[in-house]
Amino acid sequence: VGMIDELAASQIPNKENGIQSLIKTILVYCDSKCNLTFDKNGNSHEIDLVNRFKLLVTDNFTRMHMVSKYAEIMNLSPKYLNQLVKQIMGITAKQVIQEHLIIQARHELKFSNNSIKEVAFSLGFTDPFHFSSFFKDSVGSSPSQYRKE
């Protein structure tokens, strides 16, 4: 985070690209280390399903916020998908989706000039007030407060 702050404060041309690259590197690292626990009860098929779910979320989290939509694509019941994700990752499927939304929301609020309404719409929220409430519940501060920090 220190490198990102330092880069953001610099006068380097195209620093946005550098910041974006750093954030992507951090996200790739976190994704590779994040929450995967291979317990004795998990088999490779279950792990493959969870990895497929994670890829689907990465590609679709701005359009699909409901676990049921991902389960439908994967031909699984939402309950079973949630059980698998909880077993393998230790968090619920809904939390995986929400983490992606929060990471992207934080990025947009800090590194773009988009209004909060525009950020909300870019993340697939149809109501900016719902986005603000979701963000505040997750982060502990409103989007506007977070942007000022």
Side-chain angles (χ1 to χ4, degrees), residues 69-88:
K69 296 290 186 188
Y70 293 96
E72 182 181 330
I73 291 169
M74 297 177 70
N75 295 315
L76 302 171
S77 73
K79 183 177 178 180
Y80 181 63
L81 176 59
N82 198 52
Q83 287 172 338
L84 282 178
V85 172
K86 182 80 170 171
Q87 176 186 335
I88 302 296

Side-chain angles (χ1 to χ4, degrees), residues 43-56 74 76 80-81 84-85:
N43 65 41
S44 63
H45 176 68
E46 292 169 336
I47 292 166
D48 288 345
L49 287 172
V50 171
N51 281 330
R52 183 170 170 228
F53 167 70
K54 286 175 58 182
L55 288 172
L56 283 170
M74 297 177 70
L76 302 171
Y80 181 63
L81 176 59
L84 282 178
V85 172

Side-chain angles (χ1 to χ4, degrees), residues 75-125:
N75 295 315
L76 302 171
S77 73
K79 183 177 178 180
Y80 181 63
L81 176 59
N82 198 52
Q83 287 172 338
L84 282 178
V85 172
K86 182 80 170 171
Q87 176 186 335
I88 302 296
M89 296 183 69
I91 59 175
T92 66
K94 182 177 181 178
Q95 287 173 305
V96 172
I97 298 164
Q98 290 176 337
E99 284 181 2
H100 275 74
L101 288 166
I102 289 299
I103 288 168
Q104 186 63 32
R106 286 177 179 217
H107 171 75
E108 288 192 36
L109 290 169
K110 285 289 186 184
F111 300 109
S112 81
N113 293 322
N114 294 342
S115 69
I116 292 168
K117 182 178 180 179
E118 290 170 323
V119 171
F121 290 149
S122 76
L123 294 173
F125 289 86

Side-chain angles (χ1 to χ4, degrees), residues 120-142:
F121 290 149
S122 76
L123 294 173
F125 289 86
T126 56
D127 180 358
F129 295 110
H130 181 243
F131 165 72
S132 293
S133 175
F134 164 76
F135 189 88
K136 186 170 185 173
D137 289 346
S138 300
V139 176
S141 60
S142 71

